Amino acid sequence: MKVETKYFGTVEVDAEELISFPHGLPGFESFHSFVLLPVDELGTYFALQAVDEAGLSLIVTNPYIFYKDYAFDIDEQELSLEKPNDVAVYNVVTLKDPFEKSTLNLQAPIVMNVRERIAKQVILNDANYQTKHPLTQSNKGGESHARP
Amino acid sequence: MLVLNRKEGESVRVGDDITIKVVGIEGGQVKLGIEAPKHIGIHRQEIYVAIEKENAEAANVSENLLNLLKNTKKD
């Protein structure tokens, strides 16, 4: 099927690649079908593109590249998760210019069941995680080695 | 908006399967106990709004800005 995208024009997507968000995303509750499109060659960033709205695309990334100790509890039942391999986690990047000001939303991870292709943006009740964590940690001290 | 008076220990039933109980009242704060099916999302309003706002901000990216990512090198 053809999907009109915000950043890549019209792309061809297999129906199996679609990701279902039964509840949509906070602020975008009426969009339930998305696809992940790679942005950079290294596969660090993806565009989470709404299938029915070309203008809706969020940049997401694997949070563990940046915050290796990131941890939270998952409700296995809700996403029908059976084994650890079923789970993929992506967090929304808020891009800024200059790039150093970009942030990562650790308070609301997108948890996906890669087997069933269903996902949800979970809202954590953990004071350690907020909506704007630095994406580059150059200002931090020696404790963080996730990224220079 | 429906406004109800409830005392500590009393509840409100919403629909068939949601119960909200006033567990405690102390110092201008009300502690609520909420029983609802798993699929019903329950969030502090201001936190949900903060996530909505962050998603909206994150969605508002120009193509120029996206090019920053393509030029970013990894470790």
Side-chain angles (χ1 to χ4, degrees):
Chain A
M1 61 184 288
K2 291 198 184 331
V3 174
E4 282 183 48
T5 72
K6 183 172 177 183
Y7 301 117
F8 312 107
T10 304
V11 298
E12 184 69 32
V13 172
D14 271 355
E16 297 148 23
E17 291 179 60
L18 300 183
I19 304 161
S20 167
F21 283 73
H23 302 282
L25 295 162
F28 304 106
E29 286 84 355
S30 55
F31 300 97
H32 302 289
S33 189
F34 288 78
V35 65
L36 275 177
L37 304 168
V39 171
D40 60 318
E41 288 176 8
L42 292 160
T44 307
Y45 302 99
F46 296 86
L48 183 66
Q49 171 69 50
V51 170
D52 301 318
E53 174 51 64
L56 176 54
S57 186
L58 292 165
I59 304 303
V60 300
T61 189
N62 174 348
Y64 302 103
I65 295 173
F66 302 91
Y67 292 88
K68 61 183 166 57
D69 298 327
Y70 185 47
F72 56 89
D73 276 334
I74 291 175
D75 178 357
E76 291 91 350
Q77 211 182 344
E78 182 170 7
L79 287 170
S80 315
L81 298 167
E82 286 168 13
K83 46 187 194 294
N85 284 349
D86 289 346
V87 188
V89 177
Y90 298 94
N91 288 60
V92 178
V93 175
T94 304
L95 269 184
K96 294 284 170 185
D97 191 6
F99 180 71
E100 290 69 36
K101 294 205 165 152
S102 300
T103 56
L104 188 60
N105 183 351
L106 292 184
Q107 191 172 13
I110 291 167
V111 181
M112 177 177 157
N113 179 333
V114 294
R115 189 169 41 85
E116 308 245 340
R117 312 291 297 175
I118 50 171
K120 181 188 179 178
Q121 189 171 21
V122 178
I123 299 178
L124 303 181
N125 284 309
D126 182 335
N128 290 320
Y129 299 131
Q130 287 96 42
T131 54
K132 289 184 191 291
H133 290 259
L135 193 58
T136 53
Q137 303 185 23
S138 50
N139 306 334
K140 282 198 169 179
E143 60 181 276
S144 185
H145 308 288
R147 199 177 172 88
Chain B
M1 185 192 283
L2 172 67
V3 179
L4 298 170
N5 277 313
R6 297 277 66 193
K7 294 195 176 87
E8 195 169 327
E10 292 181 339
S11 303
V12 175
R13 173 70 77 97
V14 181
D16 294 334
D17 45 17
I18 300 173
T19 304
I20 302 170
K21 183 175 182 179
V22 180
V23 177
I25 306 169
E26 206 175 313
Q29 283 204 319
V30 179
K31 187 179 276 184
L32 301 173
I34 302 162
E35 280 178 26
K38 282 265 179 194
H39 70 272
I40 303 279
I42 301 168
H43 308 285
R44 292 177 176 84
Q45 173 71 8
E46 68 276 15
I47 292 177
Y48 194 87
V49 169
I51 303 301
E52 283 184 331
K53 197 167 152 253
E54 193 62 31
N55 279 348
E57 194 182 333
N60 188 22
V61 171
S62 69
E63 200 152 343
N64 289 344
L65 212 47
L66 193 79
N67 285 331
L68 287 176
L69 288 184
K70 295 178 181 164
N71 300 331
T72 310
K73 66 175 172 63
K74 222 179 137 194
D75 309 351

